[in-house]
């Protein structure tokens, strides 16, 4: 069981949106230290956070951050991008590759670098931020990257358990952040999602389903695909 109080946490993409809300919630729960990464560390605004420059697709950048965070016990892989590559047939292949580099390989690089640190510190926790689109292929390569990350998380959960590291996957629909500012749909408050995610970490949950849409879609995976994709029933 992981306790946030007195823990040392690294949050990727910790300067805005859900990442910023996670940093705030971590300090509310008594975290001893929170490293908040961003491409530009000057964008990290929490007064107590330790800002670090990180490009998750760059192995040298990841290695440098791991070297500067020898006390981490909890890793939150939150950084991600969406380039709007909704058509797997027509979107620029470079955009598809870039989304996979950031959303799948990025978390893997960071996890591989930080697992030895967490293990040396007696074990801890990994939280990966997924999406309802892990299970709903309506967003082209973004959906594919999140589905791949979900599978990565499930595999890591098995690999890391014997090493004293628990793994939680967070799934959620739209969150009211800069990334979704142009989308007209119901959105969850970032701080509410952050609280649910950390509740799951402290409870040792394998997965956190943060809204009704996500719970509905997850339940629908056991049914006929036409229930999730009505166009297939036409």
């Amino acid at each position: 069981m992981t306790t946030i109080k007195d823990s040392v946490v690294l949050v990727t993409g910790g300067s805005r949106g859900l990442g910023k809300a996670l940093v705030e919630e971590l300090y509310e729960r008594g975290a001893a230290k929170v490293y908040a990464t961003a491409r530009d560390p000057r964008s990290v605004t929490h007064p107590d956070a330790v800002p670090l420059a990180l490009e998750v697709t760059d192995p040298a950048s990841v290695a440098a951050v791991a070297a500067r965070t020898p006390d981490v016990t909890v890793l939150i892989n939150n950084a991600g991008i969406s380039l709007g590559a909704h058509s797997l047939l027509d979107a620029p292949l470079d955009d598809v590759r870039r989304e996979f580099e950031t959303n799948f390989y990025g978390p893997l690089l960071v996890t591989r670098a930080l697992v030895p640190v967490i293990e040396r510190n007696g074990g801890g926790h990994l939280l990966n931020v997924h999406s309802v689109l892990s299970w709903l292929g309506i967003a082209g390569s973004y959906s594919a990257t999140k589905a791949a990350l979900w599978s990565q998380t499930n595999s890591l959960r098995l690999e890391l358990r014997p090493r004293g590291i628990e793994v939680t996957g967070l799934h959620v629909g739209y969150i009211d952040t800069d990334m979704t500012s142009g989308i007209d749909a119901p959105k969850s408050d970032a701080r509410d999602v952050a609280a649910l995610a950390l509740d799951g970490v402290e409870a040792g949950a394998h997965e956190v389903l943060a809204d009704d849409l996500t719970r509905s879609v997850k339940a629908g995976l056991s049914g006929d695909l036409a229930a999730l994709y009505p166009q297939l029933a036409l």
Side-chain angles (χ1 to χ4, degrees), residues 87-154:
S87 172
L88 287 172
L89 296 178
D90 299 326
L93 199 56
D94 284 347
D95 286 354
V96 175
R97 288 196 176 102
R98 185 178 167 199
E99 287 190 341
F100 267 94
E101 287 291 339
T102 302
N103 297 344
F104 177 81
Y105 289 107
L108 182 58
L109 282 174
V110 176
T111 298
R112 287 165 67 118
L114 269 295
V115 158
V117 175
I118 297 172
E119 194 172 19
R120 283 196 301 269
N121 291 326
H125 214 104
L126 167 66
L127 171 65
N128 278 346
V129 176
H130 303 149
S131 168
V132 66
L133 296 175
S134 300
W135 306 317
L136 202 57
I138 61 173
S141 65
Y142 183 80
S143 289
T145 65
K146 290 300 185 177
L149 180 59
W150 177 44
S151 184
Q152 178 190 136
T153 299
N154 287 338

Side-chain angles (χ1 to χ4, degrees), residues 179-200:
M179 184 182 287
T180 64
S181 60
I183 297 173
D184 183 17
K187 301 173 187 177
S188 299
D189 182 86
R191 192 62 184 268
D192 292 341
V193 175
L196 288 170
L198 297 184
D199 285 347

Side-chain angles (χ1 to χ4, degrees), residues 34-58:
V34 180
Y35 297 101
T37 79
R39 289 191 179 96
D40 181 358
R42 294 171 297 181
S43 62
V44 175
T45 57
H46 195 286
D48 298 319
V50 180
L52 294 174
L54 175 63
E55 170 50 65
V56 299
T57 65
D58 179 1

Side-chain angles (χ1 to χ4, degrees), residues 203-224:
H206 298 317
E207 290 184 330
V208 174
L209 311 184
D211 56 24
D212 289 340
L213 173 63
T214 302
R215 286 185 284 272
S216 174
V217 171
K218 177 69 183 294
L221 294 178
S222 61
D224 189 277

